[in-house]
Amino acid sequence: MRQIVLDTETTGLSIEEGHRIVEIGCIELMNRKFSGKRFHQYINPEREIDEGALNVHGITQDFLQTKPRFAEIADEFMEFISGAELIIHNAPFDTGFINYELGLTRKKWKPLTDYCRTIDTLLMARQLHVGQRNSLDALCKRYNVDNSQRDLHGALMDAHLLAQVYLAMTGGQGSLFGDTKLGETRPEEAIEMKILSAQAKNLIVLAATDDEMAVHEEKLQKMRENGKCLWLEVGVTDF
């Protein structure tokens, strides 16, 4: 199973206002293990960057002046992600921008859904953690993922963090990057991983807080109002 954890940074929030991608970061997972392969590219957006976006990612127009335009890297990017399952936090935002950029190349690119299946980790987190904050920073804290290097947003940094969060949300996995720093050249060979199992002796169990239990109870009561709620009938909430 080949998965690509993907993130982008942009000049602003709206493609309707002509905003463009300034950075793409992708991390490859093979069978839930880091393969060591990645795609990372800064992009000249050919337009100004909104002040709000600049405050988020810190990528300046001067820095991007010598970088390639999206049309120049589109073939390489699409070759890297095609056929993979994309893992994206708030997927409609990133896929919307990528589809917009593909359209601007004036080549016969189809929408991303024709090349890849997409998992939205924001939607997944909202289903798992009802009523809680589910930003990437909040999820890093919840799943004990070290995001201390994240002073500013960056596509490659956020893809690394999201990969760890996704693996934790969907089964748990550790020993992710060792001492490798994001700025260093990493070896092509796969990074050794340690998979946590249900039998692990040092498995950490995080109990729900009183506030979380209250939100859960409220959700179940609303389900009962709209029909039968099996969990309340059998007392599962007391588990």
Side-chain angles (χ1 to χ4, degrees), residues 120-143:
D120 188 346
T121 52
L122 178 58
L123 179 60
M124 180 186 297
R126 285 173 174 169
Q127 294 171 340
L128 290 172
H129 309 290
V130 179
Q132 300 180 61
R133 293 181 64 250
N134 289 301
S135 66
L136 183 54
D137 281 334
L139 291 173
C140 285
K141 182 177 181 180
R142 188 170 299 140
Y143 288 103

Side-chain angles (χ1 to χ4, degrees), residues 5 37 61 153 157 179 184 190 210 217 233:
V5 187
K37 294 181 180 179
Q61 285 181 272
H153 288 242
M157 166 70 79
D179 296 327
E184 296 177 349
D210 291 342
E217 178 68 21
E233 296 298 327

Side-chain angles (χ1 to χ4, degrees), residues 95-128:
T95 58
F97 268 93
I98 293 170
N99 284 331
Y100 177 62
E101 292 282 5
L102 290 173
L104 293 178
T105 66
R106 297 184 180 180
K107 293 186 177 181
K108 295 182 179 180
W109 290 111
K110 299 176 182 179
L112 276 185
T113 50
D114 282 27
Y115 306 96
C116 308
R117 177 172 174 263
T118 301
I119 293 177
D120 188 346
T121 52
L122 178 58
L123 179 60
M124 180 186 297
R126 285 173 174 169
Q127 294 171 340
L128 290 172

Side-chain angles (χ1 to χ4, degrees), residues 172-177 192-196:
Q173 197 154 351
S175 187
L176 297 175
F177 300 110
E192 182 180 359
M193 311 299 294
K194 294 181 181 178
I195 303 175
L196 297 179

Side-chain angles (χ1 to χ4, degrees), residues 220 223-224 227-237:
L220 294 182
M223 291 172 64
R224 171 179 277 175
K228 188 174 181 179
C229 179
L230 177 63
W231 289 276
L232 289 177
E233 296 298 327
V234 300
V236 174
T237 55

